[in-house]
């Protein structure tokens, strides 16, 4: 009887005090998070307002307030705010918001701020085409479970009309570059925000000739010409190696610059009896005629030294003759982000059975401490690593050259006069030349201009692989200057008061000047997952870290220089920082790398006695 009375009492209690439909037990809270019916029947409205909303390319920032009017809460752990992108027939996309404290005694944690990059919002890719509504979601823990509500974003402070914003974004890959258009529409009457994403174009970068100033090689001809070059190379290998012949070969430059220039000038200064030839192309995509294929094959087969300064696919399938050297002088200094076979298993990394790089008989580095990194990256024995230093760094010890550069650049770049010079020189994102881009939306160029334009100029030296361009207003032309086509970045380093970079090896050369560096890395976590480094990034960088535009501005205004760390950095990555790296390397060329190939004296002695360069084709069309 007592049991029956208790059951009747509990039933009456439930009838008089029903459990609200908008609450769930803690055990049910996580699955219920995405259950639509939970947002119905809420008896506590969300009070909300947008304080600021801003667009910078595909980068979106927002701040405001949102709270349940009937449930004051001071514990931020019990409040979760987010923006939800909803589209019919697709899964929701959530943008987490960060709680912000405000001056309100009942709702102190009602504030929020958040960011979203729509160019990578879809698992690293742009927002898929379609129409989306952006809602704000508030999730608050009550005594008996989570209360969840979604509603429109609310009113924008001081806004009295509809708003719209249009921008483009591009997704880069080796086979397809897709350009999207985003249209953001704010409806004042409905307090709602919508996004319309659509595809503008899809371009195969290997077939795109619109921006090329050279003739592109047909994808069908590339493997055929590679095969023919291999046959021709074996044929020309019947000839003796010319112990006085040096071939400079590159598929990433059309001028004699960088390490090539320093080595060549040193050879001329010594009145060397080497016969010197240059085989230069602007890109691995540039067309090579059949005549050029046979000229290359003969040069590869008969040169004592073949010097490369970058990736060169045509030569990797060849077996270098035992009395010759294929030397990679590389275009970078030090070891920072992983490259080559250090990236096996990573996105865009090589396959273990690839032939790329593995036939180098020598590779040039700046320090014994990174010899193992280059050996691993190139897939060659560590004994093939030459630690004589990097020729292009010699100018950092030449005071007369530096003075000349300062004077010359004051004339070539007159806008730097009387200003502090900021040089922005980041590396590219993507897996290689075909998919390279830079996420310019991570930088608010407007903010930087307003904060710095009176005292500074901002030079942009963008990596040559980068396919997209920064969206900078013409109003800022007196502050931002694109020097990406400037011939030699090291000359720009000479006049820079501060360097902004990220994961680029340019930091090694700039460290020799002992000036402040800022490492702007808003995508550090993502980059570490995709690319990785040889050293712990935060311990490695010889300068200040900035992850937002506001932090970047603060670091520029208040430059930091840890002289002790900078000295240690230079001493670790440069065995002999003395300005004589070129001379040491050419010494090795002249003595056959300690006469390890002394039998070459019996080889063909065909050369030019005055050491004049033989430009077999220079810039080929």
């Amino acid at each position: 009887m007592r049991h029956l009375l208790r059951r009747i009492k509990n039933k009456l209690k439930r009838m008089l005090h029903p459990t609200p439909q908008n609450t769930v037990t803690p055990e049910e809270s996580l699955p219920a998070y995405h259950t639509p019916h939970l947002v119905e029947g809420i008896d506590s409205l969300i009070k909300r307002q947008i304080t600021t909303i801003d667009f910078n390319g595909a980068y979106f920032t927002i701040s405001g307030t949102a709270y349940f009017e009937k449930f004051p809460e001071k514990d931020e752990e019990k409040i979760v705010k987010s923006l939800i992108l909803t589209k019919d027939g697709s899964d929701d996309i959530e943008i987490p918001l960060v709680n912000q404290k405000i001056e309100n005694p009942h709702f102190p944690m009602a504030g929020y701020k958040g960011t979203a990059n729509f160019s990578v919002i879809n698992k690293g890719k742009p927002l898929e085409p379609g129409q989306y509504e952006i809602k704000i979601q508030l999730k608050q823990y009550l005594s008996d479970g989570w209360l969840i509500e979604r509603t429109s974003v609310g009113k924008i402070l001081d806004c009295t009309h509809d708003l719209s914003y249009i921008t483009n974004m591009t997704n880069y890959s080796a086979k397809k570059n897709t350009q999207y258009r985003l249209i953001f529409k704010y409806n004042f009457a409905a307090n709602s925000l919508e996004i319309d994403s659509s595809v503008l174009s899809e371009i195969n970068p290997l077939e795109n000739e619109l921006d090329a100033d050279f003739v592109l090689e047909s994808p069908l001809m590339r493997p055929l010409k590679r095969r023919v070059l291999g046959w021709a190379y074996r044929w020309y290998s019947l000839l003796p190696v010319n112990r006085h012949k040096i071939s400079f070969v590159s598929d990433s430059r059309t001028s004699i610059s960088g390490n090539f220039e320093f080595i060549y000038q040193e050879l001329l200064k010594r009145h060397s009896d080497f016969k010197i030839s240059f085989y230069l192309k602007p890109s691995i995509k540039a067309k090579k005629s059949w005549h050029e294929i046979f000229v290359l094959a003969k040069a590869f087969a008969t040169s004592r030294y073949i010097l490369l300064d970058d990736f060169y696919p045509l030569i990797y399938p060849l077996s270098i003759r035992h009395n010759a050297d294929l030397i990679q002088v590389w275009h970078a200094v030090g070891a920072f982000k992983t490259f080559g076979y250090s990236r096996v298993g990573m996105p865009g990394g090589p396959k273990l059975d690839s032939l790329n790089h593995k036939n180098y008989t020598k590779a040039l580095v700046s320090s014994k401490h990174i010899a193992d990194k280059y050996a691993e990256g190139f897939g060659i024995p560590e004994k093939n690593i030459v630690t004589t230093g990097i020729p292009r760094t010699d100018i950092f010890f030449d005071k007369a050259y530096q003075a000349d550069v300062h004077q010359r650049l004051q004339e070539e770049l007159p806008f730097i006069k009387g200003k502090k010079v900021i040089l922005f020189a980041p590396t590219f994102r993507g897996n290689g030349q075909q998919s390279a881009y830079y996420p310019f939306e991570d930088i608010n160029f407007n903010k930087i201009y307003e904060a710095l334009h009176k005292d500074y100029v901002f030079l942009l030296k963008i990596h040559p692989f980068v396919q997209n361009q920064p969206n900078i207003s013409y109003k800022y032309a007196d502050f931002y200057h694109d020097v990406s086509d400037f011939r030699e970045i090291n000359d720009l380093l000479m006049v820079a008061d501060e360097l902004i970079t990220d994961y680029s090896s340019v930091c090694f050369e700039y460290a020799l000047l002992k000036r402040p560096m800022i490492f702007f890395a808003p995508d550090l976590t993502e980059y570490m997952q995709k690319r990785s480094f040889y050293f712990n990034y935060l311990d490695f960088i010889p300068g200040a870290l900035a992850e937002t535009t506001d932090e970047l501005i603060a670091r520029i205004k208040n430059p930091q220089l840890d002289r002790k760390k900078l000295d240690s950095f230079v001493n670790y990555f440069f065995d002999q920082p003395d300005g004589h790296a070129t001379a040491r390397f050419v010494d090795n060329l002249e003595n056959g790398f300690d006469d390890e190939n002394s039998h070459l004296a019996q080889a063909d002695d065909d050369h030019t006695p005055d050491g004049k360069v033989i430009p077999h084709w220079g810039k080929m069309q």
Side-chain angles (χ1 to χ4, degrees):
M1 185 70 175
R2 188 179 300 169
H3 179 68
L4 179 61
L5 288 173
R6 186 164 58 247
R7 288 180 60 187
I8 294 172
K9 182 178 179 180
N10 288 338
K11 186 172 182 180
L12 288 171
K13 184 178 179 180
R14 286 195 298 272
M15 292 173 64
L16 293 173
H17 305 284
T19 301
Q21 293 181 359
N22 58 312
T23 59
V24 293
T25 63
E27 292 78 14
E28 296 171 319
S29 62
L30 290 179
Y33 183 70
H34 294 293
T35 306
H37 75 267
L38 287 175
V39 302
E40 298 175 358
I42 297 298
D43 59 0
S44 179
L45 296 177
I46 293 180
K47 303 290 286 185
R48 76 273 187 217
Q49 183 180 63
I50 297 174
T51 306
T52 63
I53 188 168
D54 188 37
F55 301 95
N56 183 40
Y59 199 86
F60 166 82
T61 60
I62 189 172
S63 67
T65 57
Y67 57 91
F68 286 120
E69 63 176 350
K70 290 186 178 181
F71 299 101
E73 181 59 70
K74 297 181 179 180
D75 186 353
E76 67 174 317
E77 296 296 327
K78 294 182 179 180
I79 303 172
V80 180
K81 305 184 190 85
S82 54
L83 296 179
I84 305 295
L85 274 66
T86 64
K87 186 181 77 163
D88 291 342
S90 298
D91 293 336
D92 295 342
I93 298 174
E94 182 176 7
I95 303 170
L97 299 173
V98 179
N99 287 326
Q100 297 288 293
K101 197 169 185 178
I102 64 170
E103 296 297 327
N104 186 319
H106 300 292
F107 302 93
M109 299 310 301
Y112 69 81
K113 68 176 182 179
T115 62
N117 185 348
F118 289 98
S119 64
V120 293
I121 199 171
N122 180 30
K123 299 178 181 178
K125 296 181 179 180
L127 187 66
E128 289 286 345
Q131 293 183 333
Y132 300 79
E133 182 178 358
I134 299 182
K135 294 186 176 182
I136 188 164
Q137 176 174 280
L138 185 56
K139 179 182 178 185
Q140 186 169 324
Y141 186 75
L142 306 179
S143 59
D144 52 354
W146 288 96
L147 171 61
I148 304 171
E149 171 67 270
R150 292 179 184 178
T151 187
S152 60
V153 292
K155 290 184 177 180
I156 301 175
L157 185 66
D158 297 328
C159 177
T160 59
H161 52 80
D162 292 350
L163 299 175
S164 63
Y165 175 79
I166 301 175
T167 188
N168 294 342
M169 59 184 180
T170 306
N171 181 48
Y172 296 91
S173 67
K175 294 184 178 180
K176 184 172 66 174
N177 293 345
T178 307
Q179 188 175 49
Y180 298 80
R181 169 162 291 171
L182 290 180
I183 303 177
F184 295 85
K185 295 176 288 187
Y186 174 73
N187 187 306
F188 173 73
N191 300 330
S192 63
L193 183 63
E194 295 181 346
I195 306 176
D196 188 356
S197 174
S198 58
V199 174
L200 290 182
S201 63
E202 292 183 342
I203 298 171
N204 184 338
L206 292 175
E207 297 176 354
N208 178 25
E209 301 186 20
L210 296 178
D211 299 323
D213 59 356
F214 51 85
V215 178
L216 294 169
E217 186 70 84
S218 162
L220 296 176
M221 293 302 293
R222 247 183 251 114
L224 176 59
K225 288 185 177 179
R226 190 181 304 119
R227 192 172 296 111
V228 170
L229 186 142
W231 294 332
Y233 175 78
R234 288 191 289 273
W235 170 258
Y236 285 121
S237 292
L238 297 174
L239 300 174
V241 169
N242 181 345
R243 65 189 180 92
H244 296 283
K245 185 176 181 180
I246 301 178
S247 293
F248 291 77
V249 185
S250 178
D251 264 351
S252 59
R253 67 177 66 247
T254 57
S255 62
I256 305 170
S257 57
N259 287 325
F260 279 4
E261 181 177 13
F262 284 91
I263 295 168
Y264 172 57
Q265 292 296 342
E266 180 69 17
L267 288 167
L268 291 186
K269 186 173 71 174
R270 297 187 183 196
H271 302 288
S272 166
D273 60 356
F274 280 110
K275 175 184 177 181
I276 303 168
S277 301
F278 285 88
Y279 306 90
L280 309 177
K281 283 285 193 180
S283 168
I284 59 175
K285 298 183 292 183
K287 182 178 180 179
K288 295 179 177 68
S289 69
W290 287 109
H291 171 72
E292 291 164 353
I293 290 294
F294 284 96
V295 169
L296 277 175
K298 185 175 182 180
F300 294 162
T302 59
S303 295
R304 168 65 180 93
Y305 297 114
I306 308 164
L307 271 56
L308 306 179
D309 71 339
D310 207 335
F311 183 61
Y312 199 85
L314 273 178
I315 207 167
Y316 297 133
L318 307 182
S319 296
I320 303 305
R321 300 178 69 176
H322 74 280
N323 50 357
D325 276 303
L326 176 61
I327 305 175
Q328 177 60 265
V329 301
W330 208 228
H331 55 280
V333 181
F336 192 173
K337 58 182 178 289
T338 55
F339 72 97
Y341 296 98
S342 298
R343 302 188 62 238
V344 169
M346 299 182 188
K351 297 180 180 179
L352 277 174
D353 59 356
S354 170
L355 297 176
N356 292 344
H357 302 296
K358 290 181 178 178
N359 58 350
Y360 302 150
T361 62
K362 302 282 185 297
L364 202 57
V365 300
S366 60
S367 166
K368 62 181 179 293
H369 295 118
I370 57 174
D372 60 328
K373 311 295 189 298
Y374 274 72
E376 177 184 90
F378 289 140
I380 61 177
E382 194 170 338
K383 65 181 178 63
N384 289 11
I385 303 296
V386 180
T387 59
T388 53
I390 306 301
R392 60 184 286 176
T393 63
D394 286 350
I395 59 173
F396 293 97
F397 305 91
D398 188 337
K399 299 300 181 184
Y401 180 86
Q402 293 180 38
D404 178 68
V405 167
H406 273 272
Q407 183 177 351
R408 175 166 52 84
L409 292 193
Q410 291 278 336
E411 298 173 359
E412 293 183 24
L413 309 173
F415 44 79
I416 70 175
K417 291 181 180 178
K419 297 280 190 176
K420 296 177 184 177
V421 179
I422 304 164
L423 179 62
F424 178 59
T427 191
F428 65 90
R429 308 307 192 264
N431 296 327
Q433 187 171 349
Q434 312 302 336
S435 59
Y437 69 98
Y438 182 81
F440 290 108
E441 61 274 1
D442 287 341
I443 307 174
N444 191 318
F445 290 104
N446 302 349
K447 270 190 177 183
I448 294 174
Y449 175 83
E450 293 298 335
L452 303 173
H453 75 276
K454 291 181 180 179
D455 302 313
Y456 297 82
V457 290
F458 197 103
L459 309 184
L460 296 100
K461 184 73 169 74
I462 307 304
H463 195 284
F465 285 2
V466 169
Q467 301 177 60
N468 58 327
Q469 298 292 324
N471 183 20
I472 301 176
S473 171
Y474 70 92
K475 296 183 295 184
Y476 308 145
D478 62 331
F479 176 69
Y480 292 108
H481 301 275
D482 189 352
V483 293
S484 300
D485 292 333
F486 202 83
R487 177 184 175 188
E488 191 56 57
I489 188 173
N490 282 353
D491 287 353
L492 295 172
L493 295 179
M494 300 288 180
V495 299
D497 296 291
E498 297 181 55
L499 171 70
I500 302 172
T501 187
D502 45 14
Y503 320 115
S504 169
S505 62
V506 71
C507 66
F508 294 102
E509 283 129 309
Y510 196 70
L512 295 171
L513 295 171
K514 306 298 175 70
R515 296 176 192 167
M517 278 183 270
I518 302 167
F519 290 81
F520 182 62
D523 58 346
L524 178 57
T525 301
E526 180 185 355
Y527 195 90
M528 289 177 67
Q529 292 173 342
K530 292 184 177 180
R531 188 65 188 250
S532 189
F533 305 97
Y534 288 114
F535 304 93
N536 181 285
Y537 185 84
L538 298 179
D539 293 335
F540 163 86
I541 57 175
L545 175 68
E547 296 186 89
T548 66
T549 295
D550 290 337
E551 290 179 359
L552 180 60
I553 293 170
R555 303 288 187 270
I556 294 171
K557 286 185 172 181
N558 301 284
Q560 302 172 14
L561 185 63
D562 187 337
R563 189 59 181 257
K564 184 178 180 180
K565 183 173 185 178
L566 207 50
D567 289 343
S568 298
F569 182 86
V570 170
N571 292 333
Y572 185 87
F573 288 102
F574 294 88
D575 283 349
Q576 301 174 79
D578 56 8
H580 300 296
T582 306
R584 282 190 291 272
F585 179 71
V586 174
D587 286 345
N588 275 291
L589 293 181
E590 291 185 330
N591 65 29
F593 286 87
D594 296 325
D595 294 321
E596 64 182 5
N597 292 304
S598 57
H599 57 280
L600 287 174
Q602 305 301 319
D604 180 18
D605 200 31
D606 175 27
H607 64 276
T608 56
D610 58 359
K612 290 183 73 172
V613 63
I614 308 297
H616 275 270
W617 56 65
K619 183 177 180 179
M620 300 181 294
Q621 296 295 335

